[in-house]
Amino acid sequence: MKRLAYFVIAAATAAPLAAQWYPRHNFTFGVGGASPQGELADYGFRNRPGISVGYGYRFSRYLQADGGLDVVFGAGGIRDYLNTDFGPLRIRDYQFFLPLGGRAILPVADDRVLLFGGGGAAWMKYSERLRQPSDFYHFECPVCSSRSGWGGYALAGVNYFLDSSQLFRVGVTVKTYRGHTQGDPFGDVPGFKTNDRWINVLGEFGVSF
């Protein structure tokens, strides 16, 4: 009887703890598109594809700290060349975003669906890069330009867990970036501070544990 009593007490204690379980570590990979707004659109930036990787630490059932990297390919429309001993090497432009912030989470449907929204600070950099001829030769690019600056971001979206153990999930995230960049002239963007805005839409796949 004593052993049975211990078992009942342990089961009663474990039941609410199991009900409160949630995955703390969350890795995501996203693919989608980015749309420059405001001054960037006026200077010829255009909608282009992008990818993202991210990590979130869910320190409570309703709150998560986030960090990651978003990359957009060729929004500045730069298609230049650098003449080298290997011939002309193509110069292309990339846009990098480093968001650091958090989100509030609303679990629904027995925690299989997560509705979320949040934001934080973001570092933005636009950079021209030289396509290297091989892995064994590396050419510097003295004519490649870049510009960078700080701003903020906001996000909203939904995730759906594919399994009851909440290991794999898919979802959609919309991010907006606002900030200022300055530096070199970049495509048709002049070399002074600009007010930059972006809307990025991503389909995401995630692993949580």
Side-chain angles (χ1 to χ4, degrees), residues 102-120:
R103 69 181 67 185
I105 300 171
L106 177 62
V108 296
D110 294 328
D111 288 1
R112 291 289 292 270
V113 178
L114 304 180
L115 307 176
F116 58 86

Side-chain angles (χ1 to χ4, degrees), residues 162-180:
L162 300 174
D163 57 314
S164 58
S165 60
Q166 300 184 19
L167 179 60
F168 301 108
R169 57 195 171 94
V170 294
V172 176
T173 299
V174 179
K175 292 181 181 179
T176 62
Y177 288 96
R178 298 179 67 98
H180 300 279

Side-chain angles (χ1 to χ4, degrees), residues 138-156:
H138 181 83
F139 287 90
E140 298 296 331
C141 184
V143 300
C144 288
S145 61
S146 67
R147 55 192 295 116
S148 60
W150 285 92
Y153 78 98
L155 62 79

Side-chain angles (χ1 to χ4, degrees), residues 4 14 16 25 32 35 47 57 69 85 95 102 115 119 130 154 172 208-209:
L4 179 60
H25 303 282
S35 177
N47 300 345
Y57 180 74
L69 170 67
D85 294 338
Q95 291 71 45
L115 307 176
L130 186 66
V172 176
S208 302
F209 56 89

